[in-house]
């Protein structure tokens, strides 16, 4: 029983320690976020009267608070020997903010007078404020949850719900014009930043508390000694005119701040309206261009279709003309083709002529009719057993045994069944081509071998 009770006590103590650590972590996060909100308000309030620079205590306090927030539960860097060395929030910002367009990361890394990582982080805060991009840097870094998880431990502000509040609070600083010197003592990274909480710890007494204090003073005055006179008892509550003046001044400052913010928002709204109008006009121009291109495309398509149809018609006409020409040529050749009897007679006449040339028996014919009669006699003298193919073969042999063809016989060297041969036979009607043996002998092309 005693061991069980001791185990229960140790378990309750362990649970209480965990709850206490969780409460402390939550309080720490809440304190930093609340103080950051107050510092942003004081910066905006101070910017209404003077320019914010390195000498401004409000800015120095804000820079310390932001540095504490970004360094909250930051993991150390593990060395080669397994030891964990502390690191600055600049190591995280350098990796997580490279996706910001036109960022200043490379410029800060190349600064000659800034060597330590902490000093580079402080220089980055100043440059981001002057560029009015601090909120954008923080939002981009927080969206890269994988990198944030790699650099911070559980319970860090940048890993909790307070991170979204931080990005929203820093957005109001874009309305302030900052002026910093990046060579000043504020960039010294040898000392950690310390937050001054005294500007945010002013106690304001409520009206109920004031009335209770007045009644208590009156009670104490009435129950005093008899020797005490009313003149010795001072007034229980004295109104201070300076407090009303300070309140009026604060209200006036808030009013001026509200007016400036209103002007900034109106200017921003006007700028966005101009951008919207420009975008609408550009959209209309693009739509008109798209419509024009579609119309031109349709017209070009119609023209191409018309050209294709016209080319198809022309091709059809050409095909019909070609077919008609072929038919006419076939009919013409059919009508001009000689009969089989005439071809046979012409072949026999050619054989006779070649035979007589081979035997050197030349005879002059006055006309083609005489030659035809002579050919007919030669054909009738042939025996019935001899075929026309034998005669043609003898003729070919005679031609091969003789000399080369002369120009006068080139017309007779073709096929006996061709149109050219037939035309060469018809040319024999002229007396010039029915030559005598004397003329053929004198001819240089018909010189006997």
């Amino acid at each position: 029983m005693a061991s069980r009770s001791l185990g229960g006590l140790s378990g309750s103590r362990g649970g209480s320690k965990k709850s206490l650590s969780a409460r402390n972590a939550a309080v720490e996060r809440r304190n930093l976020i609340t103080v950051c909100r107050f510092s942003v308000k004081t910066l905006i309030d101070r910017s209404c009267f003077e320019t914010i620079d390195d000498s401004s205590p409000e800015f120095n306090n804000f820079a310390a608070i932001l540095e504490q927030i970004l360094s909250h539960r930051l993991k150390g860097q593990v060395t080669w020997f397994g030891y964990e060395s502390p690191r600055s929030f600049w190591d995280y910002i350098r990796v997580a903010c490279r996706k910001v367009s036109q960022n200043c990361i490379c410029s800060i890394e190349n600064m000659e007078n800034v060597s330590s990582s902490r000093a580079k982080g402080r220089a980055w805060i100043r440059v981001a404020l002057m560029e009015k991009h601090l909120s954008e840097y923080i939002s981009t870094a927080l969206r890269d949850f994988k990198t944030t998880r790699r650099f911070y431990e559980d319970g860090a502000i940048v890993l909790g719900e307070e991170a979204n509040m931080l990005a929203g609070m820093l957005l109001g600083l874009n309305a302030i014009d900052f002026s910093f010197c990046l060579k000043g003592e504020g960039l010294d990274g040898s000392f950690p930043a310390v937050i001054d909480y005294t500007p945010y710890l002013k106690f304001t007494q409520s009206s109920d508390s004031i009335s209770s204090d007045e009644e208590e003073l009156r009670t104490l005055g009435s129950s005093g000694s008899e020797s005490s006179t009313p003149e010795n008892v001072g007034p229980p509550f004295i109104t201070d005119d300076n407090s009303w003046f300070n309140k009026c001044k604060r209200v006036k400052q808030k009013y001026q701040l509200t007016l400036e913010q209103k002007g900034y928002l109106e200017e921003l709204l006007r700028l966005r309206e101009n951008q919207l109008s420009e975008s609408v006009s550009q959209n209309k121009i693009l739509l008109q261009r798209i419509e024009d291109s579609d119309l031109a495309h349709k017209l070009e398509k119609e023209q191409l279709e018309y050209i294709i149809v016209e080319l198809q018609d022309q091709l059809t006409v050409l095909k019909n003309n070609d077919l008609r020409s072929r038919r006419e040529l076939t009919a013409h050749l059919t009508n001009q083709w000689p009969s089989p009897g005439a071809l046979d007679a012409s072949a026999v006449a050619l054989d006779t002529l070649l035979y007589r040339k081979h035997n050197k028996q030349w005879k002059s014919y006055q006309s083609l009719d005489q030659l035809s009669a002579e050919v007919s006699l030669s054909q009738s003298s042939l025996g019935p057993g001899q075929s026309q193919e034998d005669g043609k073969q003898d003729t070919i042999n005679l031609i091969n045994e003789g000399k080369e063809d002369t120009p006068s016989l080139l017309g007779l060297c073709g096929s006996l069944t061709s149109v050219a041969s037939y035309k060469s036979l018809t040319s024999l009607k002229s007396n010039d081509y029915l030559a005598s043996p004397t003329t053929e002998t004198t001819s240089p092309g018909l010189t006997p071998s």
Side-chain angles (χ1 to χ4, degrees), residues 138-150:
I138 297 297
S139 300
T140 304
L142 294 178
R143 281 197 296 268
D144 191 357
F145 186 76
K146 184 177 180 180
T147 304
T148 306
R149 192 75 180 175
R150 181 161 56 93

Side-chain angles (χ1 to χ4, degrees), residues 297-314:
H297 178 69
K298 290 180 181 179
L299 293 176
E300 186 178 359
K301 184 178 180 180
E302 292 177 356
Q303 292 178 359
L304 291 176
E305 290 177 353
Y306 176 75
I307 291 172
I308 291 172
V309 172
E310 187 176 356
L311 291 175
Q312 289 178 352
D313 295 339
Q314 293 179 3

Side-chain angles (χ1 to χ4, degrees), residues 250-264:
R250 285 195 296 270
V251 171
K252 185 178 180 180
Q253 291 176 357
K254 290 181 180 179
Y255 178 73
Q256 291 179 354
L257 178 61
T258 305
L259 286 179
E260 290 183 359
Q261 291 179 351
K262 179 183 177 183
Y264 171 74

Side-chain angles (χ1 to χ4, degrees), residues 350 405-416 418-425 427:
L350 179 60
D405 297 334
T406 59
S408 62
L409 296 179
L410 288 176
L412 300 176
C413 293
S415 175
L416 296 176
S418 63
V419 178
S421 300
Y422 175 74
K423 289 183 178 180
S424 65
L425 287 175
S427 65

